[in-house]
Amino acid sequence: KLADWTAAHPAPPGQARPKGVEISYSQVRAYLDCPWFYHLRWQSRWRTPPTAPSAMGQTIHRALELFHGGGETLSEARLLELYEESWVNPPGVPAPEVLKLHARGVDILKGYWAQEKDSKSAIEFVEKEFMAPLGPHMVRGIIDRVDRRPDGSIEVIDYKTHQDVGSEADAAADLQLRLYAWGVKNTWALEPKWLSWRYVAAGKTVSVPYDPSGEDELEEFLTRVGDILAANRAFTPDLSHCPKCEFKIRCDKSPEFNPK
């Protein structure tokens, strides 16, 4: 729970002029996974080339952004054209595997359109950035999509391109969805009523009612993370994160470090 994390991480000493930082979900997630990973990713600006799954995710997100944000007549053919234009080629992947990956993306988007064409919701916006102040900090994010359902209620949607489908309980507690709902409310004065994961590869959607009662807890948590980052505390490695870290070969803190 966010409140448990906040209680376990005391605020740094107060400053006469509190220093603000930008807070995004990606930054917070990186810090929670491993403070040293946060340092490498967001302060030292380490990067890795896209993998096959991440390249597919980038391609589909970009294609859907162009498709729904273009203000034109929507069709399966147009979606697939935008898929071709948006294609991100994963470096180092053999050509036969790239062809299979490409064909998989075509199937995914055909399935997406088969569901989307009958939707009665109106899209408010896609891939839109929000920035909202929180004390001395600024909370920032880019939301995949926000819909207005036929009954007028607002739905915050996050696209997922992997096959594993989360539960409703997971969606209700998901930090990213909660942060995006907070951003929608505090940037555009919209009142989210639904949080949804749209699993485009699996062809499924998980939707849950949004509970605004947790916003105070969320704000306290985000403020505490921001205060700690602004104080530039020591970024201690969390070695439990190493096996799934994208920098595990390059990072000298990792048991898998290989300087070659």
Side-chain angles (χ1 to χ4, degrees), residues 6-18:
T6 304
H9 294 78
Q15 302 171 348
R17 293 184 179 179

Side-chain angles (χ1 to χ4, degrees), residues 4-236:
D4 293 341
W5 188 95
T6 304
H9 294 78
Q15 302 171 348
R17 293 184 179 179
K19 181 181 178 182
V21 296
E22 181 181 284
I23 305 170
S24 70
Y25 170 74
S26 296
Q27 291 168 310
V28 172
R29 183 71 266 166
Y31 184 79
L32 295 181
D33 286 341
C34 171
W36 186 249
F37 173 67
Y38 166 84
H39 164 73
L40 295 178
R41 179 67 175 77
W42 295 101
Q43 295 185 326
S44 296
R45 313 301 292 179
W46 282 25
R47 297 292 186 272
T48 56
T51 62
S54 67
M56 175 60 72
Q58 292 176 39
T59 299
I60 289 179
H61 273 78
R62 179 60 176 161
L64 293 178
E65 175 188 2
L66 295 173
F67 184 63
H68 290 298
E72 56 188 87
T73 302
L74 304 183
S75 67
E76 180 186 276
R78 181 55 179 156
L79 177 57
L80 295 181
E81 286 178 5
L82 294 171
Y83 172 67
E84 297 294 342
E85 294 175 13
S86 303
W87 178 255
V88 175
N89 204 50
V93 178
E97 293 184 27
V98 172
L99 291 175
K100 289 181 181 180
L101 185 69
H102 181 275
R104 173 62 179 150
V106 170
D107 290 340
I108 287 172
L109 291 181
K110 284 183 175 180
Y112 173 88
W113 173 245
Q115 293 182 327
E116 184 67 23
K117 65 182 180 180
D118 296 323
S119 174
K120 300 298 189 293
S121 295
I123 298 178
E124 290 287 306
F125 47 77
V126 294
E127 290 291 331
K128 193 162 185 176
E129 182 180 55
F130 70 83
M131 296 191 73
L134 181 60
H137 309 302
M138 184 65 68
V139 183
R140 174 183 176 272
I142 300 178
I143 302 173
D144 287 340
R145 176 168 162 180
V146 171
D147 279 10
R148 187 177 295 275
R149 291 188 172 189
D151 63 0
S153 61
I154 295 297
E155 177 182 14
V156 178
I157 300 170
D158 188 49
Y159 293 131
K160 299 294 184 185
T161 55
H162 52 74
Q163 289 284 351
D164 298 332
V165 177
S167 67
E168 291 185 357
D170 291 336
D174 183 63
L175 175 59
Q176 186 174 25
L177 285 175
R178 291 176 63 186
L179 191 153
Y180 285 179
W182 182 92
V184 165
K185 185 174 183 178
N186 286 274
T187 303
W188 299 292
L190 296 173
E191 293 287 344
K193 296 297 183 184
W194 298 95
L195 304 179
S196 296
W197 280 327
R198 183 81 179 266
Y199 290 93
V200 294
K204 297 181 180 180
T205 299
V206 176
S207 295
V208 293
Y210 173 59
D211 181 6
S213 67
E215 289 177 0
D216 289 343
E217 177 190 53
L218 176 66
E219 290 182 357
E220 185 178 6
F221 165 78
L222 292 175
T223 300
R224 182 62 50 80
V225 173
D227 289 346
I228 291 172
L229 298 182
N232 202 25
R233 283 188 170 182
F235 296 105
T236 305

